[in-house]
Amino acid sequence: MTDLPVTALILWAIVVGLDLASVLQGLFNRPLVAGAVAGAILGDPATGLRVGAALELFALDVLPIGASRYPDYGAATVAAVVLAAHQPWVTALGPAVLLGVLLAQVGSWSIVVHRRVTAWALRRSAPALDRGEPGMAGKVHLAGLIADLLRSGALAVLGITVAAQLGRVPRFDLPTARALTIVAVAGGFVAAIGGALRRAGTARRIAWLAGGMALGTLALALR
């Protein structure tokens, strides 16, 4: 990769990281979107869509609400696409998805650190906020945004660097790579189904979910 795609990838990874909770929230953080744009930057949009779709299965159960702890699949997806780009998808998809899932967990830890930094800033600014000092609330918000920007940037640089280094090592043999791809995709489907069942809640909703899955499977079989 040249300097231009690397810079563009890092900037895009920062944008999708901020989109998760701090600003925008325009669904740019979704793996399918993040992967598609990363693939376009690298000149391999098909790989971006494949990796993004696979990681989207894992991310379907992520709800960035309140104080819940959740993975950050934004920069993780960008790094996964970097690893898989311009490689045969049968051999590259499994390792890329595995990298994305692991980096998303690192992103989860970074979100916890960011929250602690924000809480520290709030405690530090509490007296001024209580006095109603003009502009203090805006300063606290800005500090939180800058901290999240630094968090997203660090995660982006880490992920892309790891992906670039892994791209230099010998690949798995074909049977192992295919098996890893099958495991990755199957794990994604299991995660997606588990999340759907948890959200369905009532027996009636679960029945509708099962009916929809059955009809979808039948439609694919009849194609």
Side-chain angles (χ1 to χ4, degrees):
M1 292 189 295
T2 63
D3 291 340
L4 182 60
V6 170
T7 302
L9 287 167
I10 291 175
L11 290 176
W12 173 239
I14 291 174
V15 169
V16 298
L18 291 173
D19 179 73
L20 179 62
S22 291
V23 292
L24 300 178
Q25 293 188 327
L27 299 182
F28 298 122
N29 187 269
R30 302 307 304 182
L32 191 59
V33 179
V37 175
I41 293 173
L42 291 167
D44 191 359
T47 294
L49 287 171
R50 288 191 183 100
V51 173
L55 287 172
E56 186 70 42
L57 295 172
F58 291 92
L60 284 174
D61 196 31
V62 174
L63 286 175
I65 297 175
S68 61
R69 183 168 182 171
Y70 44 82
D72 183 357
Y73 280 96
T77 301
V78 175
V81 174
V82 171
L83 179 61
H86 303 292
Q87 302 290 337
W89 76 268
V90 176
T91 58
L93 184 61
V97 170
L98 177 61
L99 175 64
V101 170
L102 292 176
L103 286 174
Q105 298 306 316
V106 176
S108 174
W109 173 81
S110 72
I111 290 172
V112 173
V113 173
H114 173 250
R115 288 173 177 173
R116 290 176 178 174
V117 170
T118 303
W120 172 82
L122 281 171
R123 288 194 299 269
R124 191 176 169 85
S125 306
L129 291 170
D130 291 339
R131 291 193 301 269
E133 289 189 11
M136 180 54 65
K139 291 179 181 179
V140 174
H141 280 289
L142 180 60
L145 180 60
I146 292 174
D148 197 24
L149 189 150
L150 294 175
R151 179 199 70 83
S152 301
L155 189 61
V157 172
L158 172 65
I160 293 172
T161 301
V162 170
Q165 293 300 320
L166 289 176
R168 299 177 181 177
V169 302
R171 296 283 178 171
F172 295 107
D173 58 85
L174 185 58
T176 303
R178 283 179 173 172
L180 189 56
T181 296
I182 292 172
V183 169
V185 174
F189 275 111
V190 170
I193 292 171
L197 289 174
R198 283 194 296 274
R199 293 188 190 181
T202 64
R204 184 177 180 181
R205 290 183 177 180
I206 292 175
W208 277 107
L209 174 64
M213 292 177 62
L215 288 175
T217 303
L218 179 62
L220 287 174
L222 294 177
R223 287 186 61 182

